[in-house]
């Protein structure tokens, strides 16, 4: 069920019971994923997924019933050599003929080459995130990309955490056509950093994908902590394991201070609430306090400077 030009949404809830298994195996499995899907534990093939298409990269997020995903010899005749990186709630059991089994930790990434034979078992698919790369996208960044082991990404490293956080943010937030190439490059850069890119690519990647992922992680931290009156670069640094000085530098490079950005997001949140009938019964002071603005005079001065209106005037406009 296409929802936008670059997004494909699929849910088995929309398929009749008698047709579900064959439709999932044929359409989503063999046609879309180029994999054979098999339910585990005698269950049924249930899944929901949203896939965002970017240049040379696709990002999928969803959940699946316990199942196995197999790249069979017959399906390999398509000569597809994409590289898939997949995280799943319960971890993967990845079986490669002649090479044994690799068990990944719960929520850890597994690298799956589409030009190889393998079977990946997922007993717990409460959530899953998947990135699929055209091989040509990664070749300039990672030497011998085809030789990477399924568990080549250590989930405990900062690079691996940044990769997952950025991919999840892109999957959940969507992406405009204008920004899609940049997001695709960032994801490829972060993957290269997570597996250990060639030395000559290190500085470029650090200044491109890793930096973009860090600023994204900081902004998400800010959104989650706007209600904290003492939200600061020091607090964000402790929460994210990044130095406050580095955080301030990232914002300075974007032409804005950390505190200025926090104030901007607080005011935007309050303005959005004041303009919504859902918050019509709430006192302005309460909305400001819940957004971390505990000093009324500062809030009213900043709000009027930004919007050239008082909070009461914004709310009055809603009633007209």
């Amino acid at each position: 069920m296409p929802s936008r030009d670059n997004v494909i949404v699929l849910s088995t809830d929309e398929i009749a019971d008698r047709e579900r298994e064959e439709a999932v195996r044929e359409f989503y499995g063999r046609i879309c994923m180029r994999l054979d899907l098999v339910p585990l534990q005698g269950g049924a093939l249930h899944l929901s997924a949203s896939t965002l298409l970017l240049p040379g990269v696709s990002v999928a997020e969803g959940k699946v019933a316990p199942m196995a995903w197999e790249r069979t010899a017959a399906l390999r005749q398509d000569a597809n050599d994409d590289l898939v990186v997949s995280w799943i709630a319960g971890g993967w059991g990845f079986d490669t003929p002649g090479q044994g089994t690799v068990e990944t930790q719960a929520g850890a990434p597994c690298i799956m080459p589409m030009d190889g034979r393998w079977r990946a078992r997922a007993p717990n698919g409460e959530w899953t995130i998947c990135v699929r790369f055209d091989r040509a996208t990664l070749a300039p960044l990672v030497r011998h990309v085809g030789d990477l082991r399924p568990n080549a990404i250590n989930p405990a490293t900062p690079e691996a955490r940044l990769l997952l956080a950025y991919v999840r943010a892109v999957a959940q937030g969507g992406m405009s056509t204008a920004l899609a190439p940049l997001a695709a490059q960032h994801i490829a850069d972060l993957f290269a950093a997570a597996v250990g890119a060639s030395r000559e690519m290190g500085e470029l990647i650090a200044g491109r994908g890793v930096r973009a992922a860090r600023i994204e992680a900081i902004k998400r931290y800010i959104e989650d902590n706007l209600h904290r009156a003492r939200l600061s670069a020091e607090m964000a640094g402790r929460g994210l394991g990044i130095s406050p000085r580095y955080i301030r530098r990232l914002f300075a490079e974007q032409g804005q201070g950390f505190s200025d950005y926090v104030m901007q997001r607080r005011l935007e949140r309050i303005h959005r609430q004041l303009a919504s009938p859902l918050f019509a019964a709430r006192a302005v002071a309460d909305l400001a306090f819940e957004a971390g603005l505990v000093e009324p005079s500062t809030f009213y001065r900043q709000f009027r400077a930004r919007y050239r209106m008082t909070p009461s005037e914004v709310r009055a406009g809603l009633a007209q």
Side-chain angles (χ1 to χ4, degrees):
M1 298 179 296
S3 57
R4 295 198 305 272
D5 289 345
N6 62 341
V7 176
I8 298 173
V9 178
L10 177 69
S11 172
T12 54
D13 294 339
E14 305 296 329
I15 304 173
D17 290 347
R18 65 182 181 277
E19 301 171 352
R20 179 177 297 136
E21 182 160 336
E22 184 56 32
V24 171
R25 294 189 69 170
E26 186 61 29
F27 177 74
Y28 188 78
R30 299 188 183 105
I31 295 176
C32 295
M33 296 293 293
R34 303 299 298 162
L35 299 169
D36 193 19
L37 309 185
V38 181
L40 296 180
Q41 304 164 3
L45 288 174
H46 287 279
L47 63 86
S48 62
S50 175
T51 302
L52 175 66
L53 306 177
L54 304 172
V57 178
S58 64
V59 177
E61 179 190 35
K63 58 182 179 179
V64 299
M67 66 176 68
W69 315 66
E70 187 170 2
R71 181 68 169 159
T72 63
L75 289 171
R76 284 182 62 208
Q77 293 180 13
D78 61 9
N80 186 304
D81 65 350
D82 290 353
L83 198 74
V84 176
V85 185
S86 185
W87 297 257
I88 202 160
W92 290 100
F94 192 83
D95 306 315
T96 306
Q99 299 182 33
T101 300
V102 172
E103 300 282 348
T104 66
Q105 304 172 23
C110 184
I111 298 175
M112 307 173 179
M114 294 297 287
D115 60 353
R117 279 194 64 190
W118 45 264
R119 187 173 190 266
R121 293 169 286 105
N124 178 0
E126 182 180 346
W127 63 265
T128 182
I129 299 282
C130 178
V131 181
R132 188 168 181 140
F133 296 99
D134 289 353
R135 189 67 64 97
T137 300
L138 296 177
L141 301 173
V142 183
R143 289 177 177 171
H144 311 300
V145 65
D147 296 332
L148 293 171
R149 293 280 296 160
N151 56 354
I153 298 177
N154 180 352
T157 63
E159 292 83 2
R161 292 196 297 268
L162 279 172
L163 174 61
L164 176 57
Y166 189 80
V167 168
R168 178 173 276 136
V170 170
Q172 294 176 349
M175 187 61 52
S176 69
T177 302
L179 289 178
L182 187 61
Q185 184 64 70
H186 289 163
I187 293 171
D189 287 344
L190 287 167
F191 171 79
V195 299
S198 58
R199 184 174 180 180
E200 59 269 24
M201 293 301 300
E203 290 187 12
L204 175 62
I205 290 169
R208 197 168 57 187
V210 173
R211 187 175 297 260
R214 286 199 187 280
I215 195 70
E216 177 68 26
I218 295 166
K219 288 181 176 180
R220 289 177 67 84
Y221 182 90
I222 289 171
E223 293 300 315
D224 292 341
N225 292 275
L226 280 178
H227 62 285
R228 298 179 180 271
R230 295 186 178 182
L231 178 59
S232 64
E234 285 74 17
M235 180 185 292
R238 288 192 297 270
L240 296 168
I242 306 172
S243 77
R245 182 178 179 182
Y246 181 59
I247 291 175
R248 293 191 185 94
R249 188 169 78 239
L250 288 175
F251 277 91
E253 290 171 355
Q254 295 192 337
Q256 189 175 33
F258 178 90
S259 297
D260 293 336
Y261 179 80
V262 171
M263 178 59 73
Q264 171 191 322
R265 296 302 297 147
R266 283 171 167 161
L267 294 176
E268 289 173 348
R269 169 178 163 173
I270 297 167
H271 186 277
R272 184 170 62 252
Q273 291 173 334
L274 291 171
S276 169
L278 297 176
F279 296 87
R282 300 291 306 281
V284 174
D286 290 343
L287 297 179
F289 184 82
E290 290 170 2
L293 293 169
V294 297
E295 178 52 54
S297 61
T298 300
F299 159 60
Y300 281 97
R301 184 177 67 254
Q302 294 278 0
F303 190 95
R304 184 157 193 166
R306 180 172 183 83
Y307 295 107
R308 300 292 187 264
M309 300 174 71
T310 67
S312 297
E313 287 170 341
V314 172
R315 177 164 277 174
L318 173 66
Q320 293 176 359

